[in-house]
Structure formats: structure tokens, C-alpha cells
Amino acid sequence: MRVRPVSTGNLVNELADVLMSREPDSYLRVAIDGPSAADPGALADALVDPLRERGRPVVRINTSDFLRPASVRLEFGRDNPDTYYAGWFDEAGLAREVLDPAGPGGSGRVVTKLWNASTDRAARVPRIGLDPRTVLLVSGPLLLGGGLGFDVTVHLEMSEGALLRRTPEAERWTVPAFLRYAEEVAPASFADVVVRVDDPRHPAVVDERW
């Protein structure tokens, strides 16, 4: 296995080129998967302009807008890693409102935000129609291995030591969930693109995935 250090700018451009190489006249559902310490949202955000400059419309989705209600998430405490691992995010809602409508035979009409965590109520955001060439960039943790309908998957991999160092104290209770994810799901073994980000300022691509 060869690991290739790359600048953040080059990583973004290479990923944009990979996505542009996919079917140009259909929706493209892309997962940017990683713990908060790896900041998958920042990478997804950085891809928006390069893809648009290359001629693809982009819609950004963050799984923080697809949480389950607090009564479900917090039933077993506010810092339960098992609940975070298996009950924090509304994967069924993400599939129903975003991924399935943008999949084969789908309606092409999606909801970009399902739940408002600050009010703990439905966001009530209207559906939007997608241009047939739209790239949906979905960022968040624990996205892979659950059967969600992604066309391209990018996994940001961190070692246990890096997770512990870089996860904010208030979120450190989530680290066991990510270690369990790495062991049970092993996303680095099947994601289309794997990027090691023990230091997010100095990413490294696992080249055999390209």
C-alpha cells in the first residue's frame, strides 16, 4: 500500500477530477465520511466551487441536519458512544429525502435539511428540484457500511492517537464510537478514496484506492 502526501489544494482538485470522471449526465451522490476531528464538512465545502467551475451543479448536505429527535438520541444519556454509533443520525430520513430521490428512477426532488437540532423540531425546508447533472456532497461521520445509496465514497481516516489528540474535550466521548466503526465496518477497506488525516493540514492519499 502506497500513501502519498498531498497538499489540501491538490487533494481538492484531484477529488474534483475524480468526480468529474463519473457519468456526466446523471446525479452523483458523494459521501465525505469522517469524524468531526477530521472536518469532513470542510473538505465537502472546498469541493463546491471547483465542481461548479467544471460545470456541475452542487448541493451540500450535512448529516447534522439529519439528526434523530433528542428524545431518541439522548434516551441513554448525553454522552453514550453506543447511541452515537447506532442511533444519533436519521439514516432512514437521509435515504428517503436525499439519496433515494437522487438515485435511479428517483424523483430528483430532495430535502436539504430535515431536522433543526437547536429547536429539536422538523426543519420544514421545502423540497428542491435537482438539475440532472447535480453532485450531492453529503458530509458527516459514520456514513459508510449501512447500505446508504452513495455513488462515490471518500473516507477520512484517523488513528486512535490522532482522534484522541484532535477531538475537542466536549466531544471526546464519541471516540469509542469511531474506534468501533473502524473495527466493525472498516470503511478504509472499501471506500473509493481513503485519505489519512492524522494532521488535517497534511493529508495523505492511499493511492491504491484511486
PDB file of all heavy atoms in Angstrom, residues 21-54:
ATOM      1  N   SER A  21     -15.033  12.607 -13.572  1.00  0.00           N
ATOM      2  CA  SER A  21     -14.851  11.472 -14.477  1.00  0.00           C
ATOM      3  C   SER A  21     -16.040  10.525 -14.455  1.00  0.00           C
ATOM      4  O   SER A  21     -16.136   9.638 -15.312  1.00  0.00           O
ATOM      5  CB  SER A  21     -13.573  10.709 -14.112  1.00  0.00           C
ATOM      6  OG  SER A  21     -13.734   9.998 -12.887  1.00  0.00           O
ATOM      7  N   ARG A  22     -16.920  10.700 -13.489  1.00  0.00           N
ATOM      8  CA  ARG A  22     -18.100   9.846 -13.404  1.00  0.00           C
ATOM      9  C   ARG A  22     -19.151  10.288 -14.417  1.00  0.00           C
ATOM     10  O   ARG A  22     -19.043  11.330 -15.055  1.00  0.00           O
ATOM     11  CB  ARG A  22     -18.667   9.863 -11.985  1.00  0.00           C
ATOM     12  CG  ARG A  22     -17.706   9.314 -10.927  1.00  0.00           C
ATOM     13  CD  ARG A  22     -17.296   7.879 -11.242  1.00  0.00           C
ATOM     14  NE  ARG A  22     -16.387   7.316 -10.273  1.00  0.00           N
ATOM     15  CZ  ARG A  22     -16.741   6.408  -9.346  1.00  0.00           C
ATOM     16  NH1 ARG A  22     -17.986   5.974  -9.287  1.00  0.00           N
ATOM     17  NH2 ARG A  22     -15.852   5.928  -8.500  1.00  0.00           N
ATOM     18  N   GLU A  23     -20.205   9.504 -14.546  1.00  0.00           N
ATOM     19  CA  GLU A  23     -21.270   9.750 -15.518  1.00  0.00           C
ATOM     20  C   GLU A  23     -21.683  11.218 -15.511  1.00  0.00           C
ATOM     21  O   GLU A  23     -22.166  11.730 -14.498  1.00  0.00           O
ATOM     22  CB  GLU A  23     -22.477   8.861 -15.195  1.00  0.00           C
ATOM     23  CG  GLU A  23     -23.690   9.093 -16.070  1.00  0.00           C
ATOM     24  CD  GLU A  23     -23.378   8.891 -17.542  1.00  0.00           C
ATOM     25  OE1 GLU A  23     -22.787   7.858 -17.883  1.00  0.00           O
ATOM     26  OE2 GLU A  23     -23.724   9.792 -18.329  1.00  0.00           O
ATOM     27  N   PRO A  24     -21.507  11.931 -16.629  1.00  0.00           N
ATOM     28  CA  PRO A  24     -21.706  13.388 -16.615  1.00  0.00           C
ATOM     29  C   PRO A  24     -23.160  13.838 -16.671  1.00  0.00           C
ATOM     30  O   PRO A  24     -23.450  14.997 -16.394  1.00  0.00           O
ATOM     31  CB  PRO A  24     -20.958  13.847 -17.872  1.00  0.00           C
ATOM     32  CG  PRO A  24     -21.061  12.678 -18.797  1.00  0.00           C
ATOM     33  CD  PRO A  24     -20.979  11.458 -17.912  1.00  0.00           C
ATOM     34  N   ASP A  25     -24.078  12.955 -17.036  1.00  0.00           N
ATOM     35  CA  ASP A  25     -25.466  13.378 -17.258  1.00  0.00           C
ATOM     36  C   ASP A  25     -26.435  12.754 -16.270  1.00  0.00           C
ATOM     37  O   ASP A  25     -27.591  12.491 -16.586  1.00  0.00           O
ATOM     38  CB  ASP A  25     -25.887  13.035 -18.692  1.00  0.00           C
ATOM     39  CG  ASP A  25     -25.059  13.799 -19.715  1.00  0.00           C
ATOM     40  OD1 ASP A  25     -24.793  14.992 -19.487  1.00  0.00           O
ATOM     41  OD2 ASP A  25     -24.672  13.190 -20.727  1.00  0.00           O
ATOM     42  N   SER A  26     -25.968  12.502 -15.056  1.00  0.00           N
ATOM     43  CA  SER A  26     -26.857  11.956 -14.023  1.00  0.00           C
ATOM     44  C   SER A  26     -26.431  12.507 -12.673  1.00  0.00           C
ATOM     45  O   SER A  26     -25.335  13.046 -12.520  1.00  0.00           O
ATOM     46  CB  SER A  26     -26.802  10.426 -14.011  1.00  0.00           C
ATOM     47  OG  SER A  26     -25.513   9.972 -13.664  1.00  0.00           O
ATOM     48  N   TYR A  27     -27.312  12.372 -11.697  1.00  0.00           N
ATOM     49  CA  TYR A  27     -26.969  12.784 -10.346  1.00  0.00           C
ATOM     50  C   TYR A  27     -25.791  11.960  -9.837  1.00  0.00           C
ATOM     51  O   TYR A  27     -25.617  10.794 -10.220  1.00  0.00           O
ATOM     52  CB  TYR A  27     -28.157  12.572  -9.393  1.00  0.00           C
ATOM     53  CG  TYR A  27     -29.461  13.139  -9.874  1.00  0.00           C
ATOM     54  CD1 TYR A  27     -30.599  12.343  -9.908  1.00  0.00           C
ATOM     55  CD2 TYR A  27     -29.574  14.466 -10.271  1.00  0.00           C
ATOM     56  CE1 TYR A  27     -31.821  12.855 -10.328  1.00  0.00           C
ATOM     57  CE2 TYR A  27     -30.777  14.983 -10.702  1.00  0.00           C
ATOM     58  CZ  TYR A  27     -31.911  14.164 -10.739  1.00  0.00           C
ATOM     59  OH  TYR A  27     -33.106  14.675 -11.160  1.00  0.00           O
ATOM     60  N   LEU A  28     -25.006  12.568  -8.961  1.00  0.00           N
ATOM     61  CA  LEU A  28     -23.878  11.865  -8.357  1.00  0.00           C
ATOM     62  C   LEU A  28     -23.943  12.083  -6.853  1.00  0.00           C
ATOM     63  O   LEU A  28     -23.836  13.217  -6.371  1.00  0.00           O
ATOM     64  CB  LEU A  28     -22.562  12.401  -8.920  1.00  0.00           C
ATOM     65  CG  LEU A  28     -21.293  11.632  -8.528  1.00  0.00           C
ATOM     66  CD1 LEU A  28     -21.330  10.216  -9.106  1.00  0.00           C
ATOM     67  CD2 LEU A  28     -20.049  12.372  -9.021  1.00  0.00           C
ATOM     68  N   ARG A  29     -24.118  10.999  -6.105  1.00  0.00           N
ATOM     69  CA  ARG A  29     -24.278  11.061  -4.649  1.00  0.00           C
ATOM     70  C   ARG A  29     -22.950  10.695  -3.993  1.00  0.00           C
ATOM     71  O   ARG A  29     -22.498   9.567  -4.099  1.00  0.00           O
ATOM     72  CB  ARG A  29     -25.378  10.105  -4.205  1.00  0.00           C
ATOM     73  CG  ARG A  29     -26.731  10.377  -4.864  1.00  0.00           C
ATOM     74  CD  ARG A  29     -27.698   9.214  -4.719  1.00  0.00           C
ATOM     75  NE  ARG A  29     -27.200   8.011  -5.392  1.00  0.00           N
ATOM     76  CZ  ARG A  29     -27.825   6.832  -5.356  1.00  0.00           C
ATOM     77  NH1 ARG A  29     -28.943   6.681  -4.677  1.00  0.00           N
ATOM     78  NH2 ARG A  29     -27.299   5.787  -5.992  1.00  0.00           N
ATOM     79  N   VAL A  30     -22.344  11.687  -3.332  1.00  0.00           N
ATOM     80  CA  VAL A  30     -20.978  11.537  -2.825  1.00  0.00           C
ATOM     81  C   VAL A  30     -20.980  11.644  -1.306  1.00  0.00           C
ATOM     82  O   VAL A  30     -21.520  12.602  -0.736  1.00  0.00           O
ATOM     83  CB  VAL A  30     -20.059  12.620  -3.410  1.00  0.00           C
ATOM     84  CG1 VAL A  30     -18.627  12.449  -2.897  1.00  0.00           C
ATOM     85  CG2 VAL A  30     -20.098  12.586  -4.938  1.00  0.00           C
ATOM     86  N   ALA A  31     -20.357  10.676  -0.649  1.00  0.00           N
ATOM     87  CA  ALA A  31     -20.180  10.711   0.811  1.00  0.00           C
ATOM     88  C   ALA A  31     -18.780  11.208   1.132  1.00  0.00           C
ATOM     89  O   ALA A  31     -17.801  10.682   0.601  1.00  0.00           O
ATOM     90  CB  ALA A  31     -20.384   9.322   1.412  1.00  0.00           C
ATOM     91  N   ILE A  32     -18.692  12.210   1.994  1.00  0.00           N
ATOM     92  CA  ILE A  32     -17.421  12.620   2.586  1.00  0.00           C
ATOM     93  C   ILE A  32     -17.510  12.241   4.044  1.00  0.00           C
ATOM     94  O   ILE A  32     -18.144  12.920   4.853  1.00  0.00           O
ATOM     95  CB  ILE A  32     -17.158  14.135   2.425  1.00  0.00           C
ATOM     96  CG1 ILE A  32     -17.355  14.570   0.971  1.00  0.00           C
ATOM     97  CG2 ILE A  32     -15.766  14.470   2.927  1.00  0.00           C
ATOM     98  CD1 ILE A  32     -16.340  14.029   0.005  1.00  0.00           C
ATOM     99  N   ASP A  33     -16.922  11.118   4.398  1.00  0.00           N
ATOM    100  CA  ASP A  33     -17.124  10.466   5.691  1.00  0.00           C
ATOM    101  C   ASP A  33     -15.917  10.666   6.603  1.00  0.00           C
ATOM    102  O   ASP A  33     -14.777  10.476   6.166  1.00  0.00           O
ATOM    103  CB  ASP A  33     -17.341   8.962   5.450  1.00  0.00           C
ATOM    104  CG  ASP A  33     -17.329   8.158   6.727  1.00  0.00           C
ATOM    105  OD1 ASP A  33     -18.230   8.353   7.571  1.00  0.00           O
ATOM    106  OD2 ASP A  33     -16.404   7.325   6.905  1.00  0.00           O
ATOM    107  N   GLY A  34     -16.163  11.045   7.841  1.00  0.00           N
ATOM    108  CA  GLY A  34     -15.065  11.166   8.781  1.00  0.00           C
ATOM    109  C   GLY A  34     -15.528  11.750  10.096  1.00  0.00           C
ATOM    110  O   GLY A  34     -16.596  12.378  10.177  1.00  0.00           O
ATOM    111  N   PRO A  35     -14.750  11.554  11.154  1.00  0.00           N
ATOM    112  CA  PRO A  35     -15.090  12.136  12.456  1.00  0.00           C
ATOM    113  C   PRO A  35     -14.994  13.648  12.417  1.00  0.00           C
ATOM    114  O   PRO A  35     -14.355  14.224  11.523  1.00  0.00           O
ATOM    115  CB  PRO A  35     -14.047  11.525  13.393  1.00  0.00           C
ATOM    116  CG  PRO A  35     -12.883  11.229  12.509  1.00  0.00           C
ATOM    117  CD  PRO A  35     -13.465  10.834  11.182  1.00  0.00           C
ATOM    118  N   SER A  36     -15.597  14.295  13.398  1.00  0.00           N
ATOM    119  CA  SER A  36     -15.561  15.763  13.413  1.00  0.00           C
ATOM    120  C   SER A  36     -14.129  16.276  13.479  1.00  0.00           C
ATOM    121  O   SER A  36     -13.813  17.337  12.932  1.00  0.00           O
ATOM    122  CB  SER A  36     -16.384  16.305  14.581  1.00  0.00           C
ATOM    123  OG  SER A  36     -15.892  15.810  15.819  1.00  0.00           O
ATOM    124  N   ALA A  37     -13.237  15.516  14.116  1.00  0.00           N
ATOM    125  CA  ALA A  37     -11.839  15.936  14.205  1.00  0.00           C
ATOM    126  C   ALA A  37     -11.177  16.019  12.838  1.00  0.00           C
ATOM    127  O   ALA A  37     -10.209  16.764  12.641  1.00  0.00           O
ATOM    128  CB  ALA A  37     -11.059  14.972  15.097  1.00  0.00           C
ATOM    129  N   ALA A  38     -11.688  15.257  11.869  1.00  0.00           N
ATOM    130  CA  ALA A  38     -11.156  15.295  10.503  1.00  0.00           C
ATOM    131  C   ALA A  38     -11.835  16.365   9.653  1.00  0.00           C
ATOM    132  O   ALA A  38     -11.385  16.632   8.536  1.00  0.00           O
ATOM    133  CB  ALA A  38     -11.329  13.931   9.845  1.00  0.00           C
ATOM    134  N   ASP A  39     -12.916  16.941  10.159  1.00  0.00           N
ATOM    135  CA  ASP A  39     -13.654  18.018   9.491  1.00  0.00           C
ATOM    136  C   ASP A  39     -14.065  17.651   8.066  1.00  0.00           C
ATOM    137  O   ASP A  39     -13.672  18.325   7.096  1.00  0.00           O
ATOM    138  CB  ASP A  39     -12.828  19.306   9.487  1.00  0.00           C
ATOM    139  CG  ASP A  39     -13.714  20.549   9.382  1.00  0.00           C
ATOM    140  OD1 ASP A  39     -14.942  20.383   9.207  1.00  0.00           O
ATOM    141  OD2 ASP A  39     -13.176  21.664   9.476  1.00  0.00           O
ATOM    142  N   PRO A  40     -14.887  16.607   7.904  1.00  0.00           N
ATOM    143  CA  PRO A  40     -15.326  16.247   6.551  1.00  0.00           C
ATOM    144  C   PRO A  40     -16.136  17.351   5.886  1.00  0.00           C
ATOM    145  O   PRO A  40     -16.130  17.481   4.651  1.00  0.00           O
ATOM    146  CB  PRO A  40     -16.170  14.985   6.776  1.00  0.00           C
ATOM    147  CG  PRO A  40     -16.606  15.063   8.206  1.00  0.00           C
ATOM    148  CD  PRO A  40     -15.470  15.712   8.930  1.00  0.00           C
ATOM    149  N   GLY A  41     -16.826  18.180   6.689  1.00  0.00           N
ATOM    150  CA  GLY A  41     -17.591  19.278   6.116  1.00  0.00           C
ATOM    151  C   GLY A  41     -16.721  20.285   5.403  1.00  0.00           C
ATOM    152  O   GLY A  41     -17.106  20.845   4.365  1.00  0.00           O
ATOM    153  N   ALA A  42     -15.517  20.533   5.935  1.00  0.00           N
ATOM    154  CA  ALA A  42     -14.613  21.487   5.300  1.00  0.00           C
ATOM    155  C   ALA A  42     -14.167  20.991   3.932  1.00  0.00           C
ATOM    156  O   ALA A  42     -14.078  21.768   2.972  1.00  0.00           O
ATOM    157  CB  ALA A  42     -13.409  21.749   6.192  1.00  0.00           C
ATOM    158  N   LEU A  43     -13.880  19.691   3.827  1.00  0.00           N
ATOM    159  CA  LEU A  43     -13.477  19.145   2.532  1.00  0.00           C
ATOM    160  C   LEU A  43     -14.642  19.213   1.548  1.00  0.00           C
ATOM    161  O   LEU A  43     -14.455  19.588   0.382  1.00  0.00           O
ATOM    162  CB  LEU A  43     -12.999  17.703   2.692  1.00  0.00           C
ATOM    163  CG  LEU A  43     -12.590  16.991   1.401  1.00  0.00           C
ATOM    164  CD1 LEU A  43     -11.492  17.762   0.659  1.00  0.00           C
ATOM    165  CD2 LEU A  43     -12.131  15.564   1.701  1.00  0.00           C
ATOM    166  N   ALA A  44     -15.840  18.863   2.003  1.00  0.00           N
ATOM    167  CA  ALA A  44     -17.005  18.940   1.122  1.00  0.00           C
ATOM    168  C   ALA A  44     -17.232  20.371   0.657  1.00  0.00           C
ATOM    169  O   ALA A  44     -17.498  20.618  -0.531  1.00  0.00           O
ATOM    170  CB  ALA A  44     -18.239  18.396   1.845  1.00  0.00           C
ATOM    171  N   ASP A  45     -17.119  21.330   1.571  1.00  0.00           N
ATOM    172  CA  ASP A  45     -17.299  22.733   1.201  1.00  0.00           C
ATOM    173  C   ASP A  45     -16.257  23.173   0.167  1.00  0.00           C
ATOM    174  O   ASP A  45     -16.558  23.925  -0.764  1.00  0.00           O
ATOM    175  CB  ASP A  45     -17.193  23.633   2.437  1.00  0.00           C
ATOM    176  CG  ASP A  45     -18.383  23.515   3.366  1.00  0.00           C
ATOM    177  OD1 ASP A  45     -19.446  23.013   2.928  1.00  0.00           O
ATOM    178  OD2 ASP A  45     -18.263  23.922   4.540  1.00  0.00           O
ATOM    179  N   ALA A  46     -15.023  22.692   0.348  1.00  0.00           N
ATOM    180  CA  ALA A  46     -13.945  23.087  -0.555  1.00  0.00           C
ATOM    181  C   ALA A  46     -14.148  22.540  -1.966  1.00  0.00           C
ATOM    182  O   ALA A  46     -13.587  23.075  -2.928  1.00  0.00           O
ATOM    183  CB  ALA A  46     -12.600  22.614  -0.002  1.00  0.00           C
ATOM    184  N   LEU A  47     -14.932  21.478  -2.104  1.00  0.00           N
ATOM    185  CA  LEU A  47     -15.177  20.887  -3.418  1.00  0.00           C
ATOM    186  C   LEU A  47     -16.246  21.628  -4.207  1.00  0.00           C
ATOM    187  O   LEU A  47     -16.349  21.445  -5.429  1.00  0.00           O
ATOM    188  CB  LEU A  47     -15.600  19.424  -3.257  1.00  0.00           C
ATOM    189  CG  LEU A  47     -14.483  18.421  -2.971  1.00  0.00           C
ATOM    190  CD1 LEU A  47     -15.071  17.111  -2.478  1.00  0.00           C
ATOM    191  CD2 LEU A  47     -13.652  18.190  -4.225  1.00  0.00           C
ATOM    192  N   VAL A  48     -17.045  22.440  -3.552  1.00  0.00           N
ATOM    193  CA  VAL A  48     -18.201  23.049  -4.216  1.00  0.00           C
ATOM    194  C   VAL A  48     -17.774  23.902  -5.402  1.00  0.00           C
ATOM    195  O   VAL A  48     -18.238  23.700  -6.538  1.00  0.00           O
ATOM    196  CB  VAL A  48     -19.028  23.876  -3.207  1.00  0.00           C
ATOM    197  CG1 VAL A  48     -20.111  24.674  -3.946  1.00  0.00           C
ATOM    198  CG2 VAL A  48     -19.673  22.966  -2.164  1.00  0.00           C
ATOM    199  N   ASP A  49     -16.908  24.877  -5.181  1.00  0.00           N
ATOM    200  CA  ASP A  49     -16.529  25.785  -6.270  1.00  0.00           C
ATOM    201  C   ASP A  49     -15.778  25.078  -7.394  1.00  0.00           C
ATOM    202  O   ASP A  49     -16.077  25.324  -8.584  1.00  0.00           O
ATOM    203  CB  ASP A  49     -15.713  26.950  -5.727  1.00  0.00           C
ATOM    204  CG  ASP A  49     -16.576  27.962  -4.978  1.00  0.00           C
ATOM    205  OD1 ASP A  49     -17.815  27.923  -5.131  1.00  0.00           O
ATOM    206  OD2 ASP A  49     -16.011  28.775  -4.227  1.00  0.00           O
ATOM    207  N   PRO A  50     -14.798  24.202  -7.106  1.00  0.00           N
ATOM    208  CA  PRO A  50     -14.124  23.511  -8.212  1.00  0.00           C
ATOM    209  C   PRO A  50     -15.073  22.692  -9.088  1.00  0.00           C
ATOM    210  O   PRO A  50     -14.908  22.636 -10.306  1.00  0.00           O
ATOM    211  CB  PRO A  50     -13.112  22.606  -7.500  1.00  0.00           C
ATOM    212  CG  PRO A  50     -12.810  23.323  -6.226  1.00  0.00           C
ATOM    213  CD  PRO A  50     -14.123  23.928  -5.821  1.00  0.00           C
ATOM    214  N   LEU A  51     -16.080  22.067  -8.472  1.00  0.00           N
ATOM    215  CA  LEU A  51     -17.037  21.301  -9.266  1.00  0.00           C
ATOM    216  C   LEU A  51     -17.913  22.222 -10.101  1.00  0.00           C
ATOM    217  O   LEU A  51     -18.188  21.943 -11.279  1.00  0.00           O
ATOM    218  CB  LEU A  51     -17.899  20.429  -8.352  1.00  0.00           C
ATOM    219  CG  LEU A  51     -17.185  19.224  -7.748  1.00  0.00           C
ATOM    220  CD1 LEU A  51     -18.045  18.576  -6.674  1.00  0.00           C
ATOM    221  CD2 LEU A  51     -16.839  18.195  -8.826  1.00  0.00           C
ATOM    222  N   ARG A  52     -18.340  23.318  -9.508  1.00  0.00           N
ATOM    223  CA  ARG A  52     -19.158  24.266 -10.274  1.00  0.00           C
ATOM    224  C   ARG A  52     -18.363  24.881 -11.409  1.00  0.00           C
ATOM    225  O   ARG A  52     -18.883  25.084 -12.520  1.00  0.00           O
ATOM    226  CB  ARG A  52     -19.706  25.348  -9.340  1.00  0.00           C
ATOM    227  CG  ARG A  52     -20.815  24.821  -8.425  1.00  0.00           C
ATOM    228  CD  ARG A  52     -21.281  25.866  -7.434  1.00  0.00           C
ATOM    229  NE  ARG A  52     -22.406  25.353  -6.643  1.00  0.00           N
ATOM    230  CZ  ARG A  52     -22.840  25.918  -5.519  1.00  0.00           C
ATOM    231  NH1 ARG A  52     -22.247  27.018  -5.042  1.00  0.00           N
ATOM    232  NH2 ARG A  52     -23.868  25.390  -4.878  1.00  0.00           N
ATOM    233  N   GLU A  53     -17.085  25.172 -11.161  1.00  0.00           N
ATOM    234  CA  GLU A  53     -16.238  25.719 -12.224  1.00  0.00           C
ATOM    235  C   GLU A  53     -16.043  24.720 -13.358  1.00  0.00           C
ATOM    236  O   GLU A  53     -15.816  25.116 -14.514  1.00  0.00           O
ATOM    237  CB  GLU A  53     -14.882  26.120 -11.644  1.00  0.00           C
ATOM    238  CG  GLU A  53     -14.950  27.347 -10.738  1.00  0.00           C
ATOM    239  CD  GLU A  53     -13.704  27.535  -9.908  1.00  0.00           C
ATOM    240  OE1 GLU A  53     -12.754  26.717 -10.063  1.00  0.00           O
ATOM    241  OE2 GLU A  53     -13.667  28.477  -9.100  1.00  0.00           O
ATOM    242  N   ARG A  54     -16.152  23.439 -13.043  1.00  0.00           N
ATOM    243  CA  ARG A  54     -16.035  22.399 -14.058  1.00  0.00           C
ATOM    244  C   ARG A  54     -17.383  22.089 -14.707  1.00  0.00           C
ATOM    245  O   ARG A  54     -17.474  21.197 -15.549  1.00  0.00           O
ATOM    246  CB  ARG A  54     -15.436  21.130 -13.440  1.00  0.00           C
ATOM    247  CG  ARG A  54     -13.944  21.239 -13.113  1.00  0.00           C
ATOM    248  CD  ARG A  54     -13.542  20.121 -12.157  1.00  0.00           C
ATOM    249  NE  ARG A  54     -12.111  19.985 -11.985  1.00  0.00           N
ATOM    250  CZ  ARG A  54     -11.371  20.738 -11.167  1.00  0.00           C
ATOM    251  NH1 ARG A  54     -11.946  21.736 -10.483  1.00  0.00           N
ATOM    252  NH2 ARG A  54     -10.071  20.530 -11.041  1.00  0.00           N
TER     253      ARG A  54
END
